Amino acid sequence: MSRVFARLIITFVDSHSHTLQYKAEKARAFQKEMIYRHLAWVNALRLQLREQKDWSVIATFLSQANYQALLDNHNKANDLLKQQGSRIYDAMATGTLQGFDSFQLEGCLLQFSQQQAACERLKNIPIPRQYDYFTRLFLRSFIVMLPFFLLSVLANLSFLVVPLSLLLSFIYAILERIAVVNENPFENHITDVPISAICIQIERDLKESLGESNLPEPLKAHEGYLF
């Protein structure tokens, strides 16, 4: 969706180059401002989800005044989306954007807001207590009763009861732990969704769409893990 937003910003603005209201310098500045602010939003959302505080990461994407003002906001990612919406209508008023451009761009902002809300729900809303409790209860009951069932099934091979019980118990216990870990995908652990790598890839693609060459190096997996 980030790539779609950048493409629309660039193509919509460029499509009005034949009109009287079009100012090339202002148009290019608007394209860069919008795309850079979107990169600030992507990284601000990453920092919020991982509860990290190094906001200097997004300073390179914003003017000094905007960056300083942003630091006072609790939900910085949401404020950046609000700024994007305001700038779209400023551009409509000055002729940088025209016609029905704002409708499609607002649709993009809507999707960004929905995606942010979904991530925040995953981060902040705990798994229902009853789900966690009964999952553990059923697993422990299964592990305790398993050897007795195997004794009746393997009456003539009783020496296999202990190793099979351990193996099957281990498999189901690991599956339960995987489910627990996957409930928290934004904790800056090796099991996380690799949102740092995703942010850098988005930055590379969007800067390239602006014709820039100062692209950051993509993150590579370290010992099999990608952050």
Side-chain angles (χ1 to χ4, degrees):
M1 195 63 207
S2 295
R3 298 169 183 86
V4 173
F5 179 73
R7 174 173 57 80
L8 292 178
I9 287 290
I10 292 170
T11 55
F12 282 168
V13 171
D14 288 348
S15 70
H16 305 305
S17 60
H18 63 283
T19 63
L20 294 176
Q21 301 98 318
Y22 181 85
K23 304 295 182 185
E25 185 177 347
K26 182 183 292 186
R28 296 302 175 200
F30 174 77
Q31 290 171 332
K32 182 174 181 177
E33 177 193 350
M34 294 295 289
I35 290 176
Y36 268 51
R37 188 182 290 110
H38 179 72
L39 292 174
W41 172 78
V42 168
N43 284 279
L45 181 58
R46 169 177 62 84
L47 293 170
Q48 288 179 192
L49 292 173
R50 287 182 167 172
E51 298 181 355
Q52 297 172 331
K53 304 299 182 183
D54 185 16
W55 298 109
S56 62
V57 173
I58 64 176
T60 57
F61 302 120
L62 301 170
S63 68
Q64 184 63 25
N66 283 345
Y67 172 67
Q68 291 299 327
L70 186 69
L71 294 178
D72 296 329
N73 287 281
H74 172 67
N75 192 328
K76 296 174 178 59
N78 185 64
D79 187 70
L80 287 166
L81 289 179
K82 184 184 74 172
Q83 291 181 39
Q84 292 287 67
S86 297
R87 289 296 290 126
I88 286 172
Y89 288 99
D90 289 343
M92 291 291 291
T94 59
T96 303
L97 294 173
Q98 300 178 38
F100 296 99
D101 297 348
S102 61
F103 290 101
Q104 293 196 57
L105 293 173
E106 278 289 351
C108 290
L109 295 184
L110 172 62
Q111 291 196 47
F112 293 144
S113 294
Q114 292 173 336
Q115 290 165 0
Q116 178 178 335
C119 291
E120 289 171 343
R121 286 193 295 270
L122 284 173
K123 172 72 177 180
N124 299 321
I125 299 179
I127 296 297
R129 182 64 182 167
Q130 61 271 25
Y131 171 85
D132 179 72
Y133 173 78
F134 283 108
T135 299
R136 293 175 185 273
L137 177 63
F138 294 152
L139 175 63
R140 291 170 182 172
S141 300
F142 172 79
I143 291 173
V144 170
M145 293 187 292
L146 179 61
F148 299 101
F149 288 112
L150 290 179
L151 278 173
S152 61
V153 174
L154 302 173
N156 298 324
L157 299 169
S158 57
F159 65 92
L160 292 176
V161 170
V162 172
L164 280 177
S165 296
L166 290 174
L167 177 62
L168 292 173
S169 297
F170 174 77
I171 291 172
Y172 281 97
I174 288 297
L175 289 175
E176 189 269 339
R177 293 312 303 166
I178 291 173
V180 170
V181 169
N182 287 342
E183 290 168 3
N184 300 291
F186 307 121
E187 300 303 316
N188 205 24
H189 297 155
I190 58 175
T191 53
D192 272 10
V193 174
I195 49 180
S196 294
I198 293 171
C199 287
I200 288 180
Q201 187 58 53
I202 291 173
E203 182 180 347
R204 285 174 57 85
D205 291 344
L206 269 57
K207 283 186 173 181
E208 193 171 42
S209 70
L210 285 170
E212 298 185 4
S213 57
N214 59 327
L215 308 180
E217 289 296 321
L219 284 185
K220 299 186 183 298
H222 176 67
E223 297 182 354
Y225 301 107
L226 187 63
F227 287 90

